[in-house]
Amino acid sequence: MIPFKTFQNLSKDKQERITRIAVEEFSEKGYAQASINSIVSRLGIAKGSIFQYFGNKKGLFIFAFNISMNMVKDYLRTVRDQTRSENLFTRLEATLLAGVIFLQKHPVIYRLYIRIMFEYEIPFRNEILLSLREYSLKYFRTLLTDAAANGEIRAKLDIDKACFVLDAVMDRFLQAKILPHLDAGLGIYNTGEQEAREWIKELTDILRTGLGI
Amino acid sequence: MIPFKTFQNLSKDKQERITRIAVEEFSEKGYAQASINSIVSRLGIAKGSIFQYFGNKKGLFIFAFNISMNMVKDYLRTVRDQTRSENLFTRLEATLLAGVIFLQKHPVIYRLYIRIMFEYEIPFRNEILLSLREYSLKYFRTLLTDAAANGEIRAKLDIDKACFVLDAVMDRFLQAKILPHLDAGLGIYNTGEQEAREWIKELTDILRTGLGI
Amino acid sequence: MIPFKTFQNLSKDKQERITRIAVEEFSEKGYAQASINSIVSRLGIAKGSIFQYFGNKKGLFIFAFNISMNMVKDYLRTVRDQTRSENLFTRLEATLLAGVIFLQKHPVIYRLYIRIMFEYEIPFRNEILLSLREYSLKYFRTLLTDAAANGEIRAKLDIDKACFVLDAVMDRFLQAKILPHLDAGLGIYNTGEQEAREWIKELTDILRTGLGI
Amino acid sequence: MIPFKTFQNLSKDKQERITRIAVEEFSEKGYAQASINSIVSRLGIAKGSIFQYFGNKKGLFIFAFNISMNMVKDYLRTVRDQTRSENLFTRLEATLLAGVIFLQKHPVIYRLYIRIMFEYEIPFRNEILLSLREYSLKYFRTLLTDAAANGEIRAKLDIDKACFVLDAVMDRFLQAKILPHLDAGLGIYNTGEQEAREWIKELTDILRTGLGI
DNA sequence: GATGAATGAGATTTCATTCAT
DNA sequence: AATGAATGAAATCTCATTCAT
């Protein structure tokens, strides 16, 4: 949803501040539990203004969410393009590492993504999630197709299912960086970049060789 | 939380119906958004009754959740015990297949588990999540330890990280059975048992051999 | 209100127990805040029984309150009759001391009286309070009339107003025995019989001689 | 509790009207039985408004109560200061008369004070009661100490106990002005200023000379 | 006579949304 | 354009009372 003209007439500073606080609120509380009251009191502006800028709660959410997801997509696209000449597993490592670094810089945005992923009654939830998943799968398929062309992966490998495994493992790893209960003592949650590199190396290794003898 | 005496005095039929509708509501809307109003109107009983049975919303939730999680644990325990003599990858297949069958019979319960996993302000959330994760990790570690003793897995394999990969892939597969956006056209969502068996076979294969040549 | 026949058919033991618990509940919480739920759960009987015995909450209250006030009146009557031959100030001392002893034996009943005195929406409140006050004033008037006949008090004393002063001081003294905030460090609240005797002596003295030179 | 900014932005008229109705409601029904529903329907405003002004029922109560008690204290302070040069019994008369006049102007406030005094589960009840009692005792002790210095009272008089008697009689007299059951035909309740003056004169006289010959 | 499950009115509280200023 | 007072639906929860067993 496009914010109303009123919002676009604001100073870039104010626009940015409103967006940031809104993303924070939705990220901390999800959509239904997020409170316009809380947002305006954190912003120090009048409640009516939000409705003038975005029409309603839903409009604010869609706007804040789109902004956030575009940041993610921009970032991923950069990684993909910059590693084009590397082999698959190096690229996977680079992708995961890029995720870790993005997380450190924008923890709020990743949390927002997780909230939306697991909350039901969200405006345009289906469209949002479908678009995200397609983006992610396309990303991995590109990597695997490139790798197949270079003979880096087993010829008989089912690309779809391999995509699925990559998506599952890598998504879960990033989630465990910020959700302590997914870590449960494994040492992923809240650790530094160095520890993350070691985990990534090991995970990529397992993905390459599997568990069997 | 143990339901009050009044609830235990109800007919088994009524108890079962109330439990089922409550699990459905929490499963569909999560804890905060679930509405006692909605539950009682679906049940066709008076609002006060629920409070006589469970004291408050939290009591109802804890009860419904415990019932559900015990069903899951009972089921998993059976699978583990019945496959004790098999090799690791057969056991993993059996586990996933058992998950699929459980899901077909009780889709609502798996949804409930997912909601709880990703909602923030839930009663006893920390206790719940810790208990669930410990249960899951212990399950996989048992399987891997058995397999290591039998020389079924690579000697140098890091058990912790292998657990993590198994957990991530298998959890995601089951999620994709009921969450269309996690499937995104791969053909996992809402398909029959036969298709699931093929996916499972392939996934287990990838887990055994990895992606590399 | 007379309890229904069902109640009168109960064993004296059970009748007494129900009355006692009801008085305790009303004494602790007042009329509106008293809870039938709480009463029946303390009694361990069915909720319906109370309504079979007394019709409704109001009926139970009137019954419990009447029983209590009759105990007070019986006690006062005994004191008055047993001190008939003493002089006024000895009788006042005896009355106050009797009050203190009654309080020690039946603190719950005095509390009940205080609650009712200051709660508004009570069934038959006006009738109850009028009857109590009349009883109390009649009591003091009897004492003062006896004393006037014996020349123990000033001839020109206005009996009505003297009654008022006696009532005010003596009531407040007993209240301060159980309401800490009325004591506020004076040493009346919750002290033993010996200390009460000294206070009574001093108060009677002030009542006899006044504050002036 | 300080009311929120919204309340302070209302017109003085509206503020005053809300305060008055709230004091009336608490005064008539006490804290627990007072109903926000009732208050807003008397005011003809929306239920949510009260919560915007005061946060919750407790906040409204504390506000209404503080406003009321400050009116009382201001009034008493004026009386004390204006009678500083008079003798004790004149000052007591002035105090009582001031009480009577305050009562005529603000009967609701005195009722509120009484309700709070005898209701148990009130927010900040302990703090409130301690503060009130200390204020009252300090007031009387000041008067008696001044009088002792001027030789107006018996040398051996126990100041504490004399305070107690004064407090008891004067408080009860004011209560009987508005609580018919405390009057019971004595002619205090609801009578004019002239009758009050006569009662006060007589009461002060009894307090000075006592009942005895 | 005793039971206790069922009821529903009414309490406090939250919050997105509207709209007059 | 900005404000923030006003609103009212809906949430959780309590409890006296009824009535079938």
Side-chain angles (χ1 to χ4, degrees), chain B residues 6 9-10 14 46 48-49 52-53:
Chain B
T6 304
N9 289 341
L10 300 180
K14 189 160 188 181
S49 296
Q52 202 158 46
Y53 304 154

Side-chain angles (χ1 to χ4, degrees), chain A residues 149-180:
Chain A
N150 297 338
E152 293 166 23
I153 55 177
R154 286 189 288 131
K156 289 168 55 183
L157 189 71
D158 180 323
I159 299 281
D160 270 2
K161 295 181 176 64
C163 278
F164 178 84
V165 169
L166 292 179
D167 199 27
V169 172
M170 295 174 75
D171 214 19
R172 178 70 150 250
F173 177 72
L174 293 178
Q175 287 176 24
K177 291 289 298 174
I178 61 168
L179 298 177

Side-chain angles (χ1 to χ4, degrees), chain A residues 91-101 169-171 173-174 199-200 203-204 207:
Chain A
R91 293 179 88 180
L92 290 179
E93 282 183 32
T95 305
L96 263 178
L97 189 60
V100 168
I101 290 165
V169 172
M170 295 174 75
D171 214 19
F173 177 72
L174 293 178
W199 259 95
I200 290 172
L203 285 181
T204 315
L207 288 171

Side-chain angles (χ1 to χ4, degrees), chain B residues 31-73:
Chain B
Y31 178 73
Q33 288 301 297
S35 149
I36 302 284
N37 274 356
S38 159
I39 289 173
V40 295
S41 87
R42 280 157 88 167
L43 281 168
I45 64 173
K47 215 183 292 191
S49 296
I50 287 293
F51 291 92
Q52 202 158 46
Y53 304 154
F54 301 99
N56 53 28
K57 186 182 183 179
K58 182 171 154 183
L60 173 61
F61 169 74
I62 301 287
F63 173 74
F65 187 75
N66 276 342
I67 290 272
S68 302
M69 288 308 107
N70 285 337
M71 288 180 64
V72 176
K73 289 183 179 178

Side-chain angles (χ1 to χ4, degrees), chain C residues 2-124:
Chain C
I2 297 151
F4 298 151
K5 196 154 148 284
T6 311
F7 181 73
Q8 285 161 337
N9 287 344
L10 298 178
S11 74
K12 286 298 158 204
D13 252 27
K14 190 162 186 182
Q15 286 186 32
E16 188 278 333
R17 197 159 159 265
I18 291 171
T19 309
R20 181 166 49 78
I21 299 284
V23 170
E24 279 175 23
E25 177 77 11
F26 286 120
S27 166
E28 283 163 21
K29 307 188 187 162
Y31 177 73
Q33 292 297 297
S35 147
I36 300 283
N37 269 353
S38 162
I39 290 173
V40 296
S41 88
R42 280 157 88 168
L43 280 169
I45 66 172
K47 212 189 293 194
S49 297
I50 288 293
F51 289 87
Q52 219 152 15
Y53 304 153
F54 301 99
N56 54 26
K57 187 182 184 179
K58 182 171 152 183
L60 172 62
F61 169 75
I62 301 289
F63 173 73
F65 189 71
N66 276 343
I67 291 270
S68 302
M69 288 307 108
N70 285 338
M71 288 182 64
V72 176
K73 290 182 178 178
D74 288 352
Y75 198 78
L76 264 190
R77 197 176 307 121
T78 308
V79 174
R80 186 194 59 196
D81 294 349
Q82 286 181 348
T83 60
R84 192 156 277 163
S85 56
E86 310 285 348
N87 75 56
L88 171 64
F89 298 100
T90 310
R91 292 180 91 180
L92 290 178
E93 283 183 30
T95 304
L96 263 179
L97 189 60
V100 168
I101 290 167
F102 186 87
L103 223 58
Q104 280 169 341
K105 270 172 65 184
H106 310 287
V108 171
I109 290 179
Y110 195 71
R111 263 175 215 278
L112 177 60
Y113 155 70
I114 289 176
R115 308 287 316 216
I116 275 32
M117 185 114 107
F118 290 92
E119 193 172 325
Y120 276 40
E121 315 288 338
I122 285 192
F124 298 113

